[in-house]
């Protein structure tokens, strides 16, 4: 076998990361929907010939973990020998490699060089509407996937470079927002084409053999780093269970050895409604927690997940079986991600911060635009407070670690594009999360409706059981939406579908403050005083939590 230069390997490996990022930027810039170009609800990856992640671009970590499973789903339907240059595949169906829910469209294309398949390029993005029984295609009332929108079960959009117009037509007609869907679809195709071009340029420079060897080396590096981290952990079996908002108890068993990290999810509640995750989606949630705990700085490729084993039970919320609905899969996965971190915090003290707001807080609003008369739909995940940890207050107004480095939609964009006013964007002033190191603050956003017969749908967890405090810190606050009617009535929601909202009704979105870390009595008077000054803490709450510290802080 040819001996390869490690410096060349390093150049190729870093180039792959840069290419994946360029794919991400190309798709973002060309997209029509603010959920993609502002919120960055997308991800991109380069994969090896059999569908393992070689390099991941920017975007939502939970999405990056979709793309290897999606490509393997494509290859299950289309054997490797049938894949040809110029093919391009689409899948949004969780039962055919789509993994998440029908709003998330995966696009993937093979890359051929020197007469052989050398890579796949793939991306995924959230589309605002793909049909189904409600605008936005996410319903907490859904009981079957058929109610959630059009299913694209790993099909060819392009066959050896020739567009399959029938599939395009099916997509365009099964949405309330055809112009936006068309723009977002072609933006995804553009991202794949730039990725393919850059990979071919890399292979032209270094050759296919060297390129493929560099990919194998990169994955081996990911595995070596994680195994080194596992060897530092005490081997054993660790059980944990946690009550959820609806009273159900979720549980897991961790079995840790120097060679393997096993998560057993058997014995969890039966699948129910639209709050289910695919087996692959549950694996992604555990991949993220596993990587955060073992090697957060290492490469995020297929190699680093080789020591992770996930055991599920079909027919449960963590392994839905057809035709179960998955519209709010994200709330199931983020609960699993958070519970895994909490289990690790319980068994390995001082390693994991206190609990964060830990919900996607998916909010869907829309109706007839008062200025244009056209249908509009806002799809907004929300930001919230992170937990405090040793030596640091929690971060305020951030997406969860599960959601990654994404952004909230600016008020100016929301008002310009959608039929609502944004009356307020502020940090959550509610109590909760106090400690030696306080939890970060959630947010309070007020949307004011500009027309009649608009709609509101949402799915929030941590609406009854708050983010957990650690090492003596206090629990945080809750996620919820309060609808303030023009006659003064107030309605509080955590899950709801198609609630009618009318002119000047205010949709008040509140996300949780993270949990506190450490005994509140150990917080310094200066820090308590600063919290009061910043509006994070009232004098009354300071006296309740901090006692004599509060009086000193207030007088200061």
């Amino acid at each position: 076998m040819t001996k390869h230069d490690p410096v060349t390997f390093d150049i190729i490996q870093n180039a792959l990361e840069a290419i994946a990022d360029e794919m991400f930027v190309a798709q973002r810039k060309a997209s029509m929907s603010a959920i993609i170009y502002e919120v960055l609800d997308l991800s991109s990856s380069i994969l090896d010939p059999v569908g393992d992640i070689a390099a991941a671009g920017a975007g939502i970590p939970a999405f990056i973990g979709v793309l290897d499973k999606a490509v393997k789903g494509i290859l299950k339907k289309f054997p490797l020998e049938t894949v040809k240059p110029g093919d391009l595949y689409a899948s949004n169906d969780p039962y055919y490699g789509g993994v998440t829910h029908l709003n998330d469209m995966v696009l993937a294309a093979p890359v051929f060089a020197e007469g052989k398949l050398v890579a796949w390029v793939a991306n995924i993005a959230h589309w605002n509407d793909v049909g189904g029984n409600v605008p936005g295609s996410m319903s907490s009332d859904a009981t079957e996937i058929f109610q959630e929108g059009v299913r694209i079960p790993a099909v060819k959009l392009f066959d050896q470079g020739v567009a399959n117009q029938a599939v395009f037509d099916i997509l365009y007609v099964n949405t309330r927002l055809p112009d936006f869907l068309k723009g977002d679809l072609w933006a995804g195709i553009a991202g794949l084409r730039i990725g393919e071009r850059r990979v071919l340029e890399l292979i032209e420079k270094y050759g296919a053999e060297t390129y493929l060897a560099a990919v194998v080396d990169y994955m081996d590096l990911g595995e070596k780093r994680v195994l080194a981290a596992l060897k530092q952990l005490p081997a054993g079996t660790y059980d944990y269970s946690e009550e959820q908002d609806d009273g159900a108890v979720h549980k897991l068993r961790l079995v840790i050895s120097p060679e393997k990290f096993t998560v057993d999810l058997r014995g969890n509640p039966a699948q129910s409604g639209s709050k289910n995750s695919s087996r692959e989606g549950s694996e992604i949630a555990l991949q993220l927690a596993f990587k955060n705990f073992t090697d957060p700085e290492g490469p995020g490729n297929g190699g680093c997940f080789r020591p992770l084993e996930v055991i599920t039970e079909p027919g449960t919320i963590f392994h839905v079986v057809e035709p179960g609905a998955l519209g709010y899969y994200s709330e199931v996965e983020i609960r699993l991600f958070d519970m895994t971190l909490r289990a690790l915090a319980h068994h390995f003290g001082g390693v994991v911060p206190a609990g964060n707001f830990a919900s996607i807080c998916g909010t869907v609003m829309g109706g007839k635009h008062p200025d244009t008369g056209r249908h509009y739909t806002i799809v907004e995940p929300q930001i919230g407070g992170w937990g405090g940890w040793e030596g640091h207050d929690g971060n305020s107004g951030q997406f969860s670690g599960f959601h990654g480095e994404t952004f909230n939609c600016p008020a100016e964009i929301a008002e310009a594009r959608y039929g609502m006013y944004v009356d307020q964007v502020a940090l959550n002033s509610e109590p909760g999360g106090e400690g030696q190191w306080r939890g970060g603050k959630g947010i309070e956003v007020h949307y004011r409706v500009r027309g009649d017969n608009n709609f509101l749908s949402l799915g929030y967890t941590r609406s009854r059981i708050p983010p957990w405090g650690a090492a003596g810190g206090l629990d945080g606050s809750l996620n919820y939406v309060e609808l303030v009617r023009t006659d003064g009535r107030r309605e509080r929601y955590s899950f709801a579908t198609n609630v009618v909202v009318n002119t000047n009704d205010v949709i008040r979105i509140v996300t949780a403050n993270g949990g506190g870390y450490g005994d509140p009595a150990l917080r310094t008077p200066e820090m308590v005083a600063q919290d009061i000054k910043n509006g994070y803490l009232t004098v009354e709450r300071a006296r309740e939590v901090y006692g004599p510290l509060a009086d000193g802080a207030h007088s200061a």
Side-chain angles (χ1 to χ4, degrees), residues 70-130:
V71 170
K72 290 179 180 182
I74 291 167
L75 288 171
K76 185 176 180 180
K77 185 173 179 180
F78 297 90
L80 205 55
E81 61 271 15
T82 69
V83 177
K84 304 297 181 185
D87 289 349
L88 192 150
Y89 302 83
S91 187
N92 72 338
D93 194 321
Y95 299 108
Y96 290 86
V99 178
T100 57
H101 61 179
L102 297 181
N103 290 85
D104 296 332
M105 183 61 72
V106 173
L107 302 177
V111 180
F112 284 81
E114 300 178 11
K116 60 184 176 183
L117 177 62
V118 293
W120 287 82
V121 289
N123 57 40
I124 180 173
H126 183 107
W127 290 358
N128 278 349
D129 189 283
V130 290

Side-chain angles (χ1 to χ4, degrees), residues 11 20 80 208 219 281 405:
I11 292 170
L80 205 55
M219 292 191 192
E405 192 177 1

Side-chain angles (χ1 to χ4, degrees), residues 47 75 168 188 212 245 339 427 432:
L47 306 100
L75 288 171
F168 284 91
L212 290 169
D245 290 340
M339 181 174 66
L427 293 177

